[in-house]
Amino acid sequence: MNQEQGTEAVDNVNALHVMQAIKGMLTEQEELVFMNLLFSSSATIRAGNFGLSRREVEKQLNITGQEAAFYSFIQRVNQGVSRYFQLIYDEDRDQVVVMMRVSARAARSTLSKESLAILLFMFYQQEVLQHEYTLFDQLLDAFGHETTKANQRLLMNLDPLRKIGALEEYDTRSPEKAYQLTAIGVHMFSDSFLRRTVEFSQSNQLNKEEVMKFFKRYNLQQQGAE
């Protein structure tokens, strides 16, 4: 899995050195499990079933039922390889997945600008405004209502997001089609990307906390207007 990587400076600048240094943070068994997670998180290898289940990870680590040990493993892996990878636990799918950080240029070769725009729209709706899902008709209204063959074009740009595990169809118990971000989709955008997105619209420099304050303030205004 890929995550757009920002430009902020970090201490670790040599990927091979970082991968070597992780040996000092993990046991040999934990290192092997991390390698298994890297392999199983490949879209080429696992198609739609990314990563390993929490049960399988705990089994391989011999820590079944030990919640503190499970989260300690995730934290220590992320401390060691955070510049290049991020280990996430998708509670809804009960899957542990490794995401690789890539440059914005590399990310554009994986997803079209239309797919990225749809993903950002859904991120805003679901992570900022706290909507449980996004309706297909909402996406159509935002991105495709003025184009020919809009439904087909929208579905074509949703398909890559579904294939990389960034979103899944949501059962609304109605004929309306809807989508929900997965943990993979939520973590696709780096903090720096979200910050630059708001900077572009506001024309000033913001930190992560100010970005979230901006989003939350907008949300409160929307709620108060209803």
Side-chain angles (χ1 to χ4, degrees):
M1 291 298 91
N2 295 337
Q3 180 189 57
E4 190 271 347
Q5 167 75 319
T7 58
E8 56 268 79
V10 290
D11 294 332
N12 296 323
V13 295
N14 187 307
L16 294 179
H17 173 73
V18 171
M19 294 300 288
Q20 182 71 20
I22 198 173
K23 290 184 177 182
M25 307 181 72
L26 304 178
T27 66
E28 185 176 344
Q29 187 175 24
E30 288 173 335
E31 188 181 4
L32 178 61
V33 174
F34 176 55
M35 291 168 62
N36 288 340
L37 282 164
L38 282 172
F39 176 78
S40 63
S41 295
S42 167
T44 304
I45 301 299
R46 297 296 294 274
N49 187 29
F50 306 105
L52 297 175
S53 69
R54 174 173 176 170
R55 180 178 180 181
E56 180 60 27
V57 171
E58 290 182 340
K59 179 181 177 182
Q60 292 187 23
L61 292 173
N62 292 322
I63 57 168
T64 301
Q66 300 179 44
E67 184 167 335
F70 173 74
Y71 285 105
S72 172
F73 168 68
I74 292 177
Q75 182 181 29
R76 283 181 286 116
V77 168
N78 284 334
Q79 285 176 341
V81 299
S82 60
R83 177 175 170 83
Y84 304 98
F85 301 98
Q86 183 178 14
L87 190 60
I88 63 171
Y89 172 48
D90 187 335
E91 294 186 10
D92 292 332
R93 290 184 170 189
D94 197 34
Q95 291 285 108
V96 184
V97 181
V98 179
M99 298 185 68
M100 178 182 292
R101 299 186 187 276
V102 298
S103 65
R105 179 176 298 179
R108 286 195 293 269
S109 68
T110 303
L111 294 173
S112 67
K113 61 182 180 181
E114 291 84 3
S115 293
L116 284 170
I118 290 170
L119 184 63
L120 185 58
F121 178 84
M122 292 179 63
F123 178 91
Y124 179 76
Q125 273 208 330
Q126 296 178 29
E127 289 299 301
V128 179
L129 301 184
Q130 293 296 298
H131 294 177
E132 190 172 355
Y133 53 82
T134 300
L135 293 171
F136 180 83
D137 285 347
Q138 290 176 310
L139 295 172
L140 189 63
D141 183 63
F143 295 103
H145 64 289
E146 296 180 349
T147 62
T148 58
K149 298 182 179 180
N151 282 42
Q152 182 179 346
R153 289 175 60 86
L154 188 56
L155 288 171
M156 182 177 67
N157 285 297
L158 283 166
D159 191 54
L161 295 171
R162 182 184 56 79
K163 287 181 177 178
I164 65 172
L167 58 80
E168 58 189 5
E169 289 195 23
Y170 182 89
D171 184 7
T172 61
R173 301 187 182 278
S174 75
E176 293 184 293
K177 182 175 289 188
Y179 299 92
Q180 185 178 55
L181 292 179
T182 65
I184 293 173
V186 169
H187 289 84
M188 286 283 286
F189 298 115
S190 67
D191 290 352
S192 63
F193 177 86
L194 295 175
R195 184 168 60 247
R196 291 198 306 272
T197 299
V198 178
E199 286 173 2
F200 179 77
S201 63
Q202 298 298 302
S203 299
N204 56 19
Q205 294 293 314
L206 301 171
N207 59 38
K208 177 68 178 297
E209 290 70 27
E210 289 172 330
V211 171
M212 295 311 296
K213 285 179 183 177
F214 170 81
F215 282 148
K216 289 176 181 177
R217 183 165 62 249
Y218 177 85
N219 188 23
L220 290 172
Q221 289 176 346
Q222 289 292 91
Q223 290 177 343
E226 293 177 352

